[in-house]
Amino acid sequence: PSTDSSEEDLSLCAHGGSATVLEECRKEAAPAPLPASGPELAALMKIGTRVMRGLDWKWGDQDGPAPGLGRVIGELGEDGWIRVQWDTSSTNSYRMGKEGKYDLKLAEPAPAAQPSTAEEDDDDTEDDT
């Protein structure tokens, strides 16, 4: 990890010839960290949000085989529970604030985190992590 990788990312983006693309790459190089848990994370879980088991998961294999992906199908209740339908088609409610526990986390970054040019450069870029 050196400053070289950031410069490489920018030069790859610059060959697209657009200032907008360059700006998107700068944002991608330093993404805002997604909240791991807590009220901020719970607030991001709207109907349709893709989720997976989080830090406080204690529900065995209710989410099906790994990676256990599902989507939110109900609003977060004032009681701190939220309803999820797993890709296996089973549904259940999970804690997103109840007892100070957060059973779920986001399965994918927010849509703005992936510029549309990312796929074109996948074959010739280093891992961005």
Side-chain angles (χ1 to χ4, degrees):
S2 70
T3 55
D4 293 347
S5 65
S6 296
E7 290 169 13
E8 285 176 24
D9 290 345
L10 293 176
S11 67
L12 285 168
C13 294
H15 92 57
S18 165
T20 304
V21 172
L22 184 61
E23 184 178 329
E24 285 179 347
C25 285
R26 281 195 187 123
K27 287 179 190 170
E28 187 181 25
L34 289 174
S37 70
E40 299 87 5
L41 177 63
L44 295 175
M45 295 201 173
K46 308 293 184 198
I47 292 177
T49 302
R50 299 286 289 163
V51 295
M52 62 194 301
R53 63 173 74 177
L55 295 174
D56 296 319
W57 183 266
K58 67 169 191 177
W59 310 107
D61 291 330
Q62 284 184 7
D63 55 347
L69 299 175
R71 68 182 177 88
V72 174
I73 59 169
E75 298 287 346
L76 177 62
E78 290 182 22
D79 60 357
W81 291 86
I82 195 164
R83 192 126 187 108
V84 171
Q85 179 172 33
W86 299 107
D87 290 355
T88 59
S89 78
S90 69
T91 63
N92 221 317
S93 294
Y94 298 93
R95 301 168 301 175
M96 286 306 295
K98 181 71 173 178
E99 303 162 357
K101 302 293 186 182
Y102 297 87
D103 292 323
L104 305 170
K105 66 181 181 180
L106 300 177
E108 55 197 25
Q114 294 292 335
S116 58
T117 57
E119 293 176 12
E120 297 169 13
D121 291 337
D122 278 350
D123 58 332
D124 61 358
T125 58
E126 296 174 6
D127 187 14
D128 290 340
T129 55

